[in-house]
Amino acid sequence: MEQTAFTLQNARCLVIGAGRIGMLLARKLYALDAQVTVSARCTRDFARIAAAGLHALDTRRLTGHLADFDLIFNTVPAPILTTEVLSDMKPPCFIIDLASLPGGVAADTLLPDGCRVLHALSLPGKVAPLSAARAVFDTVDTILHEEGIL
């Protein structure tokens, strides 16, 4: 809130990525009375988003859909936020990039006037390395069990 002129209540928020961090963040924002949309790529994630009472958007089709958001939180560690994707953002839109390196904002991205990015890349690993390591371990362990490897 120190970076914006408004509170999260009724703020139109987009969380890009429906993984562990994205869904946790989306639920917290929703609990703070924000209007939350989560972007994802697979049917299973769209179902989880709907079950949580949130709006969904396809990450592969972000272009032309960002004008309606006040805050954009990225959790996808790939440069998906390009000049083209961000071209319809309206000031004072604010992007908070929480992804692991390299982050989600492409290096050569030009932001529309009045829009800003806060790079908070790999934040969990920097400020809470033990918790971050446990989350990574749990995720890998779950995937290996789901695939029948363990």
Side-chain angles (χ1 to χ4, degrees):
M1 286 181 7
E2 292 175 352
Q3 300 289 327
T4 66
F6 52 87
T7 65
L8 291 172
Q9 185 176 24
N10 292 317
R12 298 164 303 164
C13 299
L14 171 63
V15 177
I16 301 173
R20 177 185 291 252
I21 298 298
M23 287 305 292
L24 178 65
L25 174 60
R27 287 192 292 272
K28 298 292 184 187
L29 291 168
Y30 183 76
L32 291 169
D33 205 25
Q35 299 173 34
V36 182
T37 299
V38 180
S39 77
R41 295 179 299 164
C42 72
T43 304
R44 179 178 62 182
D45 289 337
F46 291 134
R48 285 190 315 129
I49 293 164
L54 307 169
H55 302 284
L57 183 62
D58 192 320
T59 303
R60 297 164 294 197
R61 294 179 181 85
L62 293 175
T63 303
H65 295 281
L66 300 185
D68 294 331
F69 297 105
D70 302 309
L71 292 166
I72 297 173
F73 298 89
N74 177 63
T75 67
V76 175
I80 59 171
L81 296 174
T82 62
T83 300
E84 178 185 358
V85 171
L86 299 178
S87 64
D88 71 322
M89 287 175 48
K90 301 280 188 268
C93 188
F94 189 39
I95 300 168
I96 301 174
D97 198 349
L98 300 170
S100 299
L101 292 171
V105 180
D108 61 348
T109 296
L110 299 174
L111 294 172
D113 289 338
C115 296
R116 299 177 298 133
V117 175
L118 173 65
H119 295 282
L121 303 178
S122 303
L123 197 57
K126 289 178 184 174
V127 299
L130 292 177
S131 296
R134 172 48 84 187
V136 169
F137 173 84
D138 290 345
T139 300
V140 171
D141 186 58
T142 298
I143 291 169
L144 293 176
H145 278 92
E146 286 176 353
E147 296 295 322
I149 296 169
L150 290 180

